Each structure stands twice: as structure tokens, then as C-alpha cells.
Amino acid sequence: MKKLLLLTLAILPCVVSAQDKNDGATWNLICNQGTRVDQAICDTLVYGYLEGVRVQSGFANFRPPYCMPKSTTIGDASGVFAKYLAEHPEQHSLPLATMLTLAMTQAFLCK
């Protein structure tokens, strides 16, 4: 798993650069493509986002707008993001972090 993560981190800039876009339409293709490499890239993006939110919440006394169960895997969260991208093409022009936050908030509502 660690080797796959390192490989993904190494090729992620190349994939995004090759697509020449870093928008929702591009990530929709990557996250919903179905290949192992594409899925690993999508998982890595979501993992980085979630870790960033976790670290920020620890330092800034910040609470995310979503309540993700502790049992949620990176694959689960990546699937949430992929589904959100597929269902909301009208929001593909939003910043990537905004789309990730909206996807997680929609899927993991706080009660």
C-alpha cells in the first residue's frame, strides 16, 4: 500500500499536468474512470484533503462542516467524492477543496 501511495504521489502531477486542467470535469474523469491507477490518484487526493482538514482542526480549533464516522475508509470517502462529481457537473468550476467539502458535507451530515 505504501509503495502504491508513493507511486501515486509521483505520477499525480503528471496526470493533472497532462490533463492541463485541475477542475471538477477532469477529476470526474479520474475518479470515475475505473482503472486502478485512476482510483489510486483519486484516493490520494481525497486522503490529502481529509488529512489537511484533520490537521487544521487540531491546530485551529476548527470543526469540519461534516461528521464522518470513524469507520469510513479512504475508499468510502473517495467514492463519495466520485459520486458527487458525477451528479453535480454544474459545480465543476468550483475550487477543488470546495467540491470536496460539499461532497463530504452532503454525505456525512452532522446530527
Side-chain angles (χ1 to χ4, degrees):
M1 180 67 178
K2 200 177 230 182
K3 288 181 182 180
L4 180 60
L5 180 60
L6 290 174
L7 175 64
T8 302
L9 290 173
I11 64 172
L12 180 61
C14 300
V15 171
V16 174
S17 173
Q19 297 284 342
D20 199 28
K21 292 183 180 179
N22 197 13
D23 61 8
T26 301
W27 284 103
N28 185 37
L29 290 173
I30 293 169
C31 295
N32 286 302
Q33 198 74 33
T35 68
R36 289 185 71 196
V37 172
D38 289 332
Q39 191 57 57
I41 291 168
C42 189
D43 289 352
T44 302
L45 171 76
V46 172
Y47 174 78
Y49 165 79
L50 294 173
E51 280 299 293
V53 169
R54 185 185 65 77
V55 168
Q56 181 182 8
S57 66
F59 284 117
N61 198 21
F62 160 81
R63 184 171 170 229
Y66 53 83
C67 297
M68 186 178 290
K70 290 183 188 257
S71 62
T72 305
T73 66
I74 295 302
D76 295 337
S78 182
V80 163
F81 184 54
K83 182 178 180 209
Y84 182 85
L85 290 170
E87 292 177 352
H88 297 283
E90 75 282 356
Q91 295 185 345
H92 286 177
S93 63
L94 293 174
L96 194 53
T98 300
M99 288 185 290
L100 279 156
T101 302
L102 290 169
M104 297 307 143
T105 303
Q106 185 178 60
F108 304 109
L109 292 172
C110 295
K111 297 177 183 175

XYZ file of all heavy atoms in Angstrom:
847
model
N 0.827 -1.190 0.000
C 0.000 0.000 0.000
C 0.870 1.252 0.000
O 0.570 2.222 -0.666
C -0.930 -0.057 1.223
C -1.832 1.118 1.347
S -3.028 1.149 -0.015
C -3.966 2.553 0.398
N 1.959 1.204 0.795
C 2.847 2.365 0.883
C 3.506 2.641 -0.474
O 3.622 3.791 -0.884
C 3.914 2.101 1.948
C 4.573 3.339 2.471
C 5.564 2.982 3.558
C 5.323 3.849 4.743
N 6.256 3.619 5.824
N 3.903 1.583 -1.183
C 4.518 1.754 -2.498
C 3.526 2.352 -3.490
O 3.868 3.201 -4.287
C 5.052 0.416 -3.028
C 6.287 -0.061 -2.308
C 6.768 -1.356 -2.890
C 7.982 -1.850 -2.130
N 8.479 -3.110 -2.651
N 2.268 1.897 -3.416
C 1.238 2.428 -4.308
C 1.002 3.908 -4.037
O 0.884 4.709 -4.961
C -0.063 1.647 -4.142
C -1.230 2.093 -5.021
C -0.873 1.963 -6.500
C -2.464 1.276 -4.700
N 0.987 4.285 -2.757
C 0.803 5.689 -2.395
C 1.959 6.533 -2.916
O 1.738 7.600 -3.498
C 0.671 5.840 -0.882
C 0.475 7.252 -0.364
C -0.796 7.876 -0.921
C 0.437 7.257 1.152
N 3.182 6.064 -2.754
C 4.344 6.802 -3.240
C 4.328 6.923 -4.765
O 4.622 7.987 -5.319
C 5.642 6.135 -2.776
C 5.923 6.239 -1.282
C 7.162 5.418 -0.923
C 6.114 7.684 -0.863
N 3.968 5.843 -5.426
C 3.867 5.877 -6.885
C 2.805 6.881 -7.322
O 3.019 7.671 -8.239
C 3.533 4.491 -7.430
C 3.272 4.409 -8.941
C 4.531 4.783 -9.719
C 2.793 3.030 -9.320
N 1.683 6.861 -6.648
C 0.605 7.787 -6.982
C 1.044 9.225 -6.782
O 0.779 10.093 -7.618
C -0.641 7.482 -6.130
O -1.018 6.129 -6.358
C -1.787 8.400 -6.493
N 1.704 9.491 -5.672
C 2.187 10.845 -5.411
C 3.186 11.288 -6.476
O 3.229 12.456 -6.842
C 2.814 10.936 -4.018
C 1.833 10.840 -2.855
C 2.586 10.778 -1.537
C 0.850 11.987 -2.861
N 3.948 10.345 -6.982
C 4.937 10.677 -8.012
C 4.284 10.998 -9.350
O 4.738 11.881 -10.071
C 5.929 9.530 -8.169
N 3.208 10.283 -9.689
C 2.613 10.491 -11.004
C 1.455 11.485 -11.002
O 1.057 11.955 -12.058
C 2.149 9.167 -11.639
C 1.030 8.526 -10.834
C 3.308 8.235 -11.861
C 0.405 7.327 -11.509
N 0.937 11.829 -9.828
C -0.208 12.738 -9.766
C 0.035 14.052 -10.498
O -0.784 14.458 -11.317
C -0.622 12.993 -8.314
C -1.809 13.923 -8.089
C -3.056 13.356 -8.751
C -2.055 14.118 -6.609
N 1.164 14.731 -10.273
C 1.371 15.980 -11.014
C 1.405 15.770 -12.528
O 0.942 16.619 -13.276
C 2.715 16.486 -10.501
C 2.928 15.801 -9.199
C 2.229 14.476 -9.330
N 1.929 14.649 -12.973
C 1.990 14.369 -14.411
C 0.595 14.195 -14.994
O 0.304 14.690 -16.073
C 2.807 13.104 -14.669
S 4.495 13.210 -14.076
N -0.266 13.491 -14.275
C -1.618 13.254 -14.769
C -2.379 14.562 -14.853
O -3.001 14.874 -15.855
C -2.363 12.242 -13.870
C -3.829 12.164 -14.248
C -1.709 10.881 -13.944
N -2.327 15.354 -13.777
C -3.040 16.628 -13.773
C -2.467 17.554 -14.823
O -3.185 18.224 -15.544
C -3.009 17.267 -12.366
C -3.618 18.654 -12.402
C -3.766 16.387 -11.380
N -1.140 17.561 -14.949
C -0.497 18.401 -15.951
C -0.889 17.953 -17.354
O -1.154 18.779 -18.220
C 1.019 18.321 -15.780
O 1.653 18.994 -16.823
N -0.930 16.650 -17.568
C -1.298 16.141 -18.883
C -2.735 16.514 -19.232
O -3.054 16.793 -20.372
C -1.128 14.623 -18.927
N -3.592 16.540 -18.245
C -4.970 16.935 -18.484
C -5.055 18.440 -18.716
O -6.015 18.923 -19.279
C -5.852 16.564 -17.283
C -5.941 15.092 -17.001
C -6.852 14.390 -17.979
O -7.660 15.007 -18.645
N -6.717 13.088 -18.078
N -4.064 19.181 -18.258
C -3.976 20.623 -18.406
C -5.129 21.339 -17.714
O -5.444 22.469 -18.043
C -3.884 21.024 -19.884
C -3.325 22.429 -20.051
O -2.549 22.861 -19.182
O -3.691 23.092 -21.027
N -5.781 20.668 -16.803
C -6.864 21.274 -16.034
C -6.850 20.673 -14.645
O -6.503 19.524 -14.456
C -8.220 20.991 -16.670
C -8.458 21.672 -17.986
C -9.865 21.371 -18.461
C -10.130 22.055 -19.780
N -11.474 21.772 -20.267
N -7.259 21.464 -13.688
C -7.415 20.968 -12.329
C -8.812 21.360 -11.875
O -8.976 22.084 -10.904
C -6.332 21.538 -11.415
C -6.216 20.757 -10.131
O -6.749 19.664 -10.005
N -5.529 21.315 -9.171
N -9.804 20.890 -12.613
C -11.183 21.259 -12.327
C -12.033 20.008 -12.098
O -11.554 18.885 -12.193
C -11.759 22.119 -13.455
C -11.780 21.386 -14.797
O -11.499 20.178 -14.844
O -12.090 22.042 -15.802
N -13.290 20.234 -11.796
C -14.186 19.127 -11.498
C -14.371 18.152 -12.645
O -14.494 16.948 -12.425
N -14.393 18.658 -13.873
C -14.567 17.772 -15.025
C -13.393 16.803 -15.144
O -13.574 15.613 -15.406
C -14.727 18.586 -16.303
N -12.195 17.315 -14.941
C -11.006 16.466 -15.003
C -11.021 15.434 -13.879
O -10.781 14.244 -14.102
C -9.729 17.317 -14.919
O -9.727 18.234 -16.004
C -8.484 16.459 -14.954
N -11.332 15.884 -12.657
C -11.363 14.958 -11.529
C -12.520 13.974 -11.647
O -12.420 12.832 -11.192
C -11.374 15.713 -10.200
C -10.010 16.234 -9.912
C -9.560 17.508 -10.046
C -8.888 15.457 -9.504
N -8.219 17.571 -9.743
C -7.786 16.333 -9.400
C -8.696 14.108 -9.211
C -6.518 15.897 -9.010
C -7.429 13.671 -8.824
C -6.358 14.572 -8.722
N -13.606 14.370 -12.287
C -14.702 13.439 -12.534
C -14.213 12.290 -13.413
O -14.513 11.118 -13.149
C -15.882 14.167 -13.178
C -17.087 13.282 -13.354
O -17.389 12.444 -12.512
N -17.789 13.453 -14.454
N -13.455 12.608 -14.445
C -12.890 11.558 -15.306
C -11.942 10.664 -14.528
O -11.991 9.437 -14.638
C -12.160 12.183 -16.493
C -13.025 12.851 -17.549
C -12.140 13.565 -18.571
C -13.924 11.835 -18.228
N -11.065 11.282 -13.735
C -10.081 10.498 -12.973
C -10.771 9.606 -11.943
O -10.489 8.413 -11.850
C -9.053 11.430 -12.298
C -8.187 12.116 -13.359
C -8.185 10.658 -11.300
C -7.327 13.238 -12.829
N -11.674 10.184 -11.161
C -12.288 9.441 -10.055
C -13.335 8.431 -10.506
O -13.631 7.492 -9.773
C -12.902 10.417 -9.061
S -11.689 11.464 -8.225
N -13.884 8.605 -11.691
C -14.911 7.682 -12.175
C -14.448 6.831 -13.351
O -15.250 6.157 -13.982
C -16.181 8.473 -12.554
C -16.915 8.949 -11.326
O -17.310 8.160 -10.491
N -17.064 10.259 -11.198
N -13.138 6.854 -13.640
C -12.585 6.124 -14.782
C -12.627 4.615 -14.574
O -12.885 3.878 -15.493
C -11.135 6.572 -15.017
C -10.596 6.243 -16.367
C -11.170 7.145 -17.438
O -11.453 8.295 -17.201
N -11.338 6.615 -18.620
N -12.311 4.172 -13.375
C -12.383 2.751 -13.089
C -11.056 2.009 -13.124
O -11.005 0.874 -12.686
N -9.984 2.624 -13.634
C -8.693 1.928 -13.632
C -8.082 2.009 -12.241
O -8.400 2.902 -11.451
C -7.715 2.526 -14.653
O -7.348 3.835 -14.225
C -8.332 2.586 -16.048
N -7.191 1.096 -11.937
C -6.543 1.089 -10.616
C -5.703 2.337 -10.392
O -5.685 2.889 -9.298
C -5.664 -0.157 -10.468
C -6.492 -1.430 -10.322
C -5.637 -2.623 -10.059
N -5.115 -2.511 -8.706
C -4.095 -3.213 -8.252
N -3.500 -4.092 -9.025
N -3.669 -3.065 -7.023
N -5.013 2.784 -11.424
C -4.180 3.982 -11.288
C -5.057 5.210 -11.052
O -4.785 6.015 -10.168
C -3.272 4.177 -12.527
C -2.562 5.514 -12.481
C -2.269 3.044 -12.628
N -6.123 5.341 -11.834
C -7.036 6.472 -11.644
C -7.623 6.458 -10.241
O -7.714 7.495 -9.583
C -8.171 6.439 -12.668
C -7.716 6.774 -14.070
O -6.729 7.521 -14.221
O -8.338 6.282 -15.029
N -8.043 5.292 -9.779
C -8.628 5.201 -8.442
C -7.613 5.551 -7.370
O -7.930 6.223 -6.390
C -9.198 3.804 -8.193
C -10.043 3.736 -6.942
C -11.183 4.734 -6.959
O -12.003 4.727 -7.860
N -11.244 5.612 -5.979
N -6.374 5.122 -7.554
C -5.314 5.451 -6.588
C -5.063 6.953 -6.555
O -4.832 7.532 -5.487
C -4.031 4.697 -6.932
N -5.114 7.593 -7.703
C -4.923 9.044 -7.768
C -6.069 9.747 -7.048
O -5.851 10.669 -6.255
C -4.807 9.511 -9.237
C -3.490 9.002 -9.835
C -4.901 11.031 -9.351
C -3.407 9.142 -11.339
N -7.290 9.309 -7.296
C -8.452 9.905 -6.631
C -8.377 9.675 -5.119
O -8.612 10.600 -4.335
C -9.740 9.319 -7.205
S -11.227 10.169 -6.653
N -8.038 8.465 -4.716
C -7.898 8.153 -3.290
C -6.848 9.050 -2.634
O -7.035 9.524 -1.511
C -7.499 6.689 -3.087
C -8.609 5.708 -3.403
O -9.768 6.134 -3.641
O -8.312 4.490 -3.437
N -5.745 9.277 -3.331
C -4.672 10.105 -2.786
C -5.123 11.550 -2.621
O -4.825 12.186 -1.614
C -3.422 10.027 -3.687
O -3.019 8.659 -3.786
C -2.279 10.843 -3.131
N -5.861 12.057 -3.600
C -6.401 13.411 -3.484
C -7.311 13.526 -2.265
O -7.163 14.440 -1.446
C -7.186 13.784 -4.743
C -7.980 15.093 -4.634
C -7.051 16.286 -4.735
C -9.067 15.150 -5.673
N -8.239 12.595 -2.128
C -9.192 12.631 -1.017
C -8.460 12.456 0.308
O -8.748 13.154 1.284
C -10.297 11.574 -1.212
C -11.188 11.470 0.018
C -11.132 11.913 -2.448
N -7.493 11.551 0.357
C -6.705 11.350 1.579
C -5.993 12.647 1.982
O -6.022 13.042 3.149
C -5.684 10.228 1.369
C -4.750 10.053 2.534
C -5.161 9.391 3.682
C -3.450 10.552 2.494
C -4.315 9.233 4.760
C -2.597 10.402 3.566
C -3.030 9.736 4.698
O -2.186 9.593 5.762
N -5.377 13.304 1.032
C -4.684 14.561 1.315
C -5.630 15.627 1.830
O -5.316 16.359 2.777
N -6.798 15.715 1.226
C -7.808 16.679 1.677
C -8.225 16.375 3.119
O -8.241 17.259 3.974
C -9.020 16.647 0.743
C -10.227 17.332 1.324
C -10.339 18.723 1.308
C -11.248 16.600 1.921
C -11.443 19.353 1.869
C -12.353 17.231 2.469
C -12.443 18.601 2.444
O -13.527 19.227 3.005
N -8.583 15.110 3.381
C -9.044 14.740 4.722
C -7.958 14.944 5.775
O -8.245 15.415 6.882
C -9.533 13.285 4.733
C -10.787 13.007 3.910
C -11.073 11.506 3.872
C -11.984 13.778 4.435
N -6.730 14.620 5.432
C -5.630 14.844 6.381
C -5.413 16.334 6.629
O -5.143 16.755 7.739
C -4.336 14.192 5.871
C -4.273 12.713 6.118
C -4.329 12.373 7.598
O -3.385 12.698 8.341
O -5.340 11.780 8.028
N -5.530 17.130 5.577
C -5.409 18.579 5.730
C -6.471 19.144 6.650
O -6.198 19.978 7.518
N -7.695 18.670 6.483
C -8.793 19.119 7.356
C -8.537 18.660 8.784
O -8.736 19.416 9.737
C -10.153 18.599 6.838
C -11.263 18.829 7.856
C -10.501 19.271 5.518
N -8.069 17.423 8.943
C -7.790 16.892 10.287
C -6.713 17.711 10.991
O -6.856 18.092 12.149
C -7.370 15.424 10.207
C -7.186 14.759 11.566
C -6.665 13.344 11.428
N -5.335 13.282 10.854
C -4.205 13.552 11.533
N -4.251 13.923 12.791
N -3.040 13.452 10.940
N -5.647 18.013 10.285
C -4.553 18.795 10.872
C -5.032 20.206 11.203
O -4.764 20.730 12.280
C -3.333 18.826 9.917
C -2.309 19.841 10.361
C -2.707 17.435 9.828
N -5.755 20.814 10.280
C -6.272 22.165 10.515
C -7.193 22.181 11.737
O -7.119 23.098 12.546
C -7.034 22.658 9.287
C -7.587 24.064 9.457
C -8.390 24.521 8.254
O -8.662 23.746 7.346
N -8.787 25.767 8.253
N -8.026 21.169 11.876
C -8.947 21.138 13.012
C -8.197 20.983 14.328
O -8.632 21.491 15.354
C -9.985 20.032 12.847
O -9.388 18.761 12.903
N -7.045 20.323 14.294
C -6.243 20.165 15.501
C -5.524 21.433 15.913
O -5.387 21.732 17.098
N -5.078 22.204 14.946
C -4.319 23.417 15.250
C -5.190 24.646 15.459
O -4.847 25.528 16.223
C -3.321 23.723 14.124
C -2.111 22.844 14.151
C -1.849 21.997 13.091
C -1.246 22.855 15.213
C -0.738 21.174 13.097
C -0.141 22.043 15.240
C 0.123 21.191 14.173
N -6.288 24.719 14.767
C -7.063 25.955 14.759
C -8.389 25.841 15.514
O -9.232 26.715 15.397
C -7.330 26.379 13.312
N -8.550 24.772 16.272
C -9.809 24.562 16.981
C -10.981 24.727 16.016
O -11.934 25.448 16.270
C -9.937 25.508 18.176
C -10.980 25.021 19.150
O -11.333 23.842 19.158
N -11.484 25.924 19.971
N -10.843 24.079 14.891
C -11.778 24.168 13.782
C -12.540 22.855 13.682
O -11.948 21.791 13.794
C -10.976 24.435 12.498
C -11.683 24.105 11.224
C -12.590 24.995 10.684
C -11.434 22.920 10.546
C -13.246 24.704 9.492
C -12.083 22.619 9.355
C -12.989 23.524 8.832
N -13.838 22.924 13.475
C -14.640 21.713 13.310
C -15.140 21.644 11.876
O -15.783 22.588 11.405
C -15.820 21.734 14.268
C -16.615 20.461 14.209
C -17.654 20.392 15.311
N -18.509 19.270 15.043
C -19.823 19.309 15.049
N -20.444 20.424 15.352
N -20.516 18.248 14.766
N -14.860 20.551 11.173
C -15.336 20.423 9.788
C -16.860 20.494 9.742
O -17.528 20.153 10.712
C -14.855 19.041 9.362
C -13.833 18.629 10.344
C -14.114 19.371 11.604
N -17.418 20.906 8.616
C -18.872 21.004 8.492
C -19.549 19.652 8.265
O -20.730 19.597 7.976
C -19.058 21.917 7.280
C -17.845 21.698 6.457
C -16.729 21.426 7.436
N -18.815 18.583 8.371
C -19.362 17.235 8.204
C -18.939 16.371 9.382
O -17.993 16.694 10.099
C -18.909 16.604 6.883
C -17.423 16.611 6.677
C -16.616 15.623 7.226
C -16.817 17.615 5.939
C -15.241 15.643 7.052
C -15.452 17.636 5.754
C -14.665 16.646 6.307
O -13.306 16.670 6.134
N -19.673 15.305 9.615
C -19.396 14.382 10.721
C -19.190 12.980 10.143
O -20.120 12.181 10.054
C -20.548 14.406 11.716
S -20.770 16.008 12.508
N -17.974 12.715 9.745
C -17.642 11.444 9.112
C -17.430 10.378 10.193
O -16.650 10.581 11.118
C -16.360 11.616 8.292
C -15.980 10.412 7.481
S -14.491 10.725 6.496
C -15.117 11.882 5.301
N -18.124 9.246 10.069
C -17.902 8.172 11.044
C -16.448 7.694 11.022
O -15.809 7.696 9.966
C -18.839 7.062 10.561
C -19.835 7.732 9.681
C -19.137 8.909 9.073
N -15.950 7.289 12.171
C -14.558 6.827 12.258
C -14.313 5.584 11.406
O -13.199 5.325 10.990
C -14.188 6.540 13.717
C -14.093 7.786 14.557
C -13.664 7.468 15.971
C -13.776 8.697 16.820
N -12.527 9.321 17.094
N -15.368 4.843 11.113
C -15.222 3.618 10.322
C -15.117 3.884 8.820
O -14.876 2.965 8.042
C -16.415 2.689 10.587
O -17.624 3.325 10.181
N -15.257 5.149 8.403
C -15.191 5.495 6.987
C -13.771 5.287 6.465
O -12.811 5.786 7.043
C -15.614 6.964 6.760
O -16.900 7.164 7.322
C -15.638 7.304 5.280
N -13.649 4.562 5.371
C -12.337 4.328 4.773
C -12.060 5.398 3.712
O -12.974 6.111 3.286
C -12.285 2.944 4.092
O -13.190 2.939 2.978
C -12.644 1.828 5.071
N -10.810 5.458 3.277
C -10.456 6.376 2.188
C -11.232 5.985 0.930
O -11.718 6.835 0.194
C -8.932 6.364 1.921
C -8.185 6.901 3.135
C -8.586 7.173 0.677
C -8.559 8.305 3.555
N -11.400 4.712 0.700
C -12.180 4.254 -0.446
C -13.625 4.726 -0.378
O -14.204 5.121 -1.392
N -14.197 4.689 0.831
C -15.570 5.183 1.009
C -15.645 6.672 0.680
O -16.522 7.122 -0.056
C -16.051 4.989 2.459
C -16.167 3.545 2.880
O -16.308 2.669 2.006
O -16.108 3.296 4.103
N -14.725 7.446 1.240
C -14.721 8.896 1.030
C -14.440 9.233 -0.433
O -15.044 10.150 -0.998
C -13.695 9.554 1.947
N -13.556 8.482 -1.053
C -13.257 8.684 -2.467
C -14.498 8.396 -3.316
O -14.792 9.113 -4.282
C -12.093 7.778 -2.876
O -11.755 7.972 -4.217
N -15.235 7.361 -2.951
C -16.479 7.039 -3.642
C -17.518 8.134 -3.501
O -18.248 8.447 -4.445
N -17.571 8.741 -2.315
C -18.479 9.869 -2.080
C -18.124 11.019 -3.017
O -18.992 11.626 -3.641
C -18.412 10.319 -0.594
C -19.003 11.701 -0.404
C -19.113 9.303 0.290
N -16.830 11.317 -3.113
C -16.379 12.416 -3.971
C -16.668 12.108 -5.442
O -17.172 12.963 -6.178
C -14.892 12.691 -3.756
C -14.372 13.862 -4.535
C -14.969 15.106 -4.459
C -13.256 13.720 -5.347
C -14.479 16.198 -5.177
C -12.765 14.794 -6.064
C -13.378 16.035 -5.983
N -16.396 10.881 -5.870
C -16.649 10.492 -7.263
C -18.133 10.615 -7.599
O -18.505 11.137 -8.659
C -16.165 9.061 -7.503
N -18.977 10.171 -6.698
C -20.424 10.252 -6.920
C -20.863 11.714 -6.995
O -21.670 12.085 -7.851
C -21.156 9.531 -5.791
C -22.653 9.521 -5.942
C -23.313 8.755 -4.809
C -24.821 8.782 -5.024
N -25.577 8.709 -3.820
N -20.337 12.533 -6.110
C -20.689 13.958 -6.103
C -20.299 14.609 -7.431
O -21.081 15.362 -8.011
C -20.000 14.659 -4.935
C -20.368 16.115 -4.836
C -21.518 16.512 -4.165
C -19.586 17.086 -5.429
C -21.872 17.848 -4.090
C -19.932 18.424 -5.367
C -21.076 18.799 -4.689
O -21.428 20.119 -4.625
N -19.105 14.320 -7.901
C -18.652 14.892 -9.173
C -19.555 14.466 -10.327
O -19.897 15.278 -11.194
C -17.210 14.476 -9.462
C -16.143 15.102 -8.575
C -14.802 14.413 -8.809
C -16.034 16.593 -8.815
N -19.940 13.204 -10.335
C -20.796 12.699 -11.412
C -22.192 13.322 -11.366
O -22.790 13.585 -12.415
C -20.900 11.177 -11.320
N -22.684 13.574 -10.171
C -24.047 14.093 -10.019
C -24.150 15.617 -10.077
O -25.258 16.143 -10.167
C -24.642 13.598 -8.699
C -24.884 12.098 -8.687
C -25.404 11.587 -7.354
O -25.447 12.354 -6.361
O -25.753 10.391 -7.299
N -23.028 16.312 -10.010
C -23.063 17.784 -9.954
C -22.114 18.428 -10.972
O -21.219 19.205 -10.599
C -22.724 18.268 -8.545
C -23.715 17.824 -7.518
N -24.938 18.423 -7.367
C -23.674 16.817 -6.615
C -25.611 17.822 -6.404
N -24.867 16.831 -5.937
N -22.305 18.179 -12.257
C -21.414 18.792 -13.248
C -21.502 20.327 -13.248
O -20.545 20.987 -13.642
C -21.892 18.203 -14.577
C -23.272 17.729 -14.325
C -23.331 17.346 -12.876
N -22.611 20.868 -12.786
C -22.752 22.323 -12.743
C -21.798 22.970 -11.735
O -21.585 24.180 -11.781
C -24.213 22.712 -12.413
C -24.628 22.520 -10.969
C -24.940 21.075 -10.545
O -24.904 20.159 -11.401
O -25.222 20.871 -9.353
N -21.209 22.173 -10.870
C -20.300 22.718 -9.860
C -18.828 22.428 -10.161
O -17.960 22.707 -9.348
C -20.685 22.191 -8.475
C -22.053 22.690 -8.069
C -22.432 22.315 -6.668
O -21.824 21.457 -6.040
N -23.456 22.959 -6.154
N -18.539 21.912 -11.330
C -17.166 21.556 -11.689
C -16.220 22.747 -11.765
O -15.008 22.571 -11.759
C -17.132 20.779 -13.002
C -17.602 19.375 -12.868
N -17.695 18.537 -13.947
C -18.027 18.644 -11.803
C -18.131 17.352 -13.545
N -18.354 17.406 -12.255
N -16.740 23.944 -11.837
C -15.863 25.118 -11.896
C -15.472 25.624 -10.510
O -14.624 26.519 -10.393
C -16.540 26.245 -12.682
O -17.721 26.660 -12.021
N -16.058 25.068 -9.470
C -15.714 25.482 -8.104
C -14.300 25.017 -7.759
O -13.794 24.049 -8.341
C -16.705 24.871 -7.103
C -18.137 25.367 -7.175
C -19.024 24.552 -6.227
C -18.217 26.842 -6.842
N -13.669 25.669 -6.787
C -12.356 25.183 -6.334
C -12.456 23.736 -5.836
O -13.490 23.324 -5.287
C -12.008 26.135 -5.187
C -12.795 27.378 -5.474
C -14.068 26.895 -6.108
N -11.410 22.997 -6.031
C -11.377 21.580 -5.681
C -11.730 21.342 -4.206
O -12.536 20.469 -3.886
C -9.995 21.012 -6.005
C -9.834 19.517 -6.033
C -10.855 18.854 -6.944
C -8.431 19.161 -6.482
N -11.150 22.124 -3.307
C -11.435 21.957 -1.873
C -12.901 22.225 -1.567
O -13.489 21.574 -0.692
C -10.537 22.863 -1.040
N -13.506 23.144 -2.282
C -14.926 23.438 -2.075
C -15.768 22.243 -2.494
O -16.699 21.845 -1.774
C -15.341 24.696 -2.872
O -14.554 25.796 -2.426
C -16.813 25.007 -2.688
N -15.456 21.659 -3.646
C -16.211 20.488 -4.095
C -16.046 19.313 -3.123
O -17.004 18.601 -2.831
C -15.789 20.079 -5.505
C -16.273 21.041 -6.572
S -15.908 20.487 -8.255
C -14.127 20.689 -8.293
N -14.833 19.124 -2.616
C -14.603 18.053 -1.642
C -15.416 18.299 -0.372
O -16.040 17.386 0.161
C -13.113 17.942 -1.317
C -12.300 17.169 -2.346
C -10.846 17.579 -2.308
C -12.448 15.680 -2.114
N -15.417 19.526 0.111
C -16.166 19.862 1.322
C -17.661 19.669 1.104
O -18.351 19.107 1.961
C -15.871 21.308 1.766
O -14.462 21.441 1.993
C -16.620 21.667 3.036
N -18.170 20.116 -0.032
C -19.593 19.931 -0.326
C -19.962 18.452 -0.408
O -21.001 18.032 0.102
C -19.961 20.647 -1.633
C -19.957 22.169 -1.575
C -20.075 22.751 -2.978
C -21.057 22.686 -0.679
N -19.102 17.663 -1.034
C -19.365 16.224 -1.152
C -19.410 15.565 0.216
O -20.339 14.789 0.508
C -18.293 15.572 -2.020
N -18.443 15.863 1.060
C -18.385 15.246 2.396
C -19.542 15.732 3.267
O -20.142 14.962 4.017
C -17.048 15.540 3.075
C -15.843 14.974 2.356
S -15.961 13.216 1.997
C -15.181 13.143 0.397
N -19.875 17.018 3.153
C -20.975 17.577 3.953
C -22.303 16.952 3.553
O -23.138 16.642 4.402
C -21.022 19.103 3.791
O -19.748 19.646 4.182
C -22.112 19.728 4.643
N -22.503 16.769 2.266
C -23.748 16.172 1.773
C -23.870 14.702 2.234
O -24.945 14.250 2.604
C -23.794 16.254 0.256
C -25.084 15.781 -0.356
C -25.067 15.937 -1.855
O -24.214 15.351 -2.541
N -25.976 16.744 -2.383
N -22.762 14.001 2.210
C -22.783 12.569 2.555
C -22.778 12.308 4.059
O -23.343 11.312 4.519
C -21.593 11.866 1.908
N -22.135 13.176 4.813
C -21.945 12.945 6.240
C -22.492 14.110 7.059
O -21.748 14.824 7.738
C -20.463 12.724 6.557
C -19.838 11.597 5.771
C -18.913 11.876 4.767
C -20.182 10.289 6.008
C -18.329 10.845 4.032
C -19.608 9.255 5.278
C -18.681 9.533 4.294
N -23.794 14.280 7.001
C -24.448 15.360 7.723
C -24.265 15.189 9.229
O -24.342 14.081 9.743
C -25.943 15.396 7.410
C -26.337 15.798 6.005
C -27.836 15.596 5.804
C -25.959 17.239 5.732
N -24.021 16.284 9.906
C -23.947 16.256 11.368
C -25.369 16.263 11.927
O -26.237 16.954 11.389
C -23.174 17.461 11.896
S -21.436 17.457 11.393
N -25.581 15.510 12.969
C -26.919 15.451 13.573
C -26.956 16.170 14.895
O -26.044 16.331 15.578
C -27.335 14.002 13.765
C -27.440 13.282 12.430
C -27.767 11.842 12.613
C -27.786 11.162 11.265
N -27.980 9.779 11.292
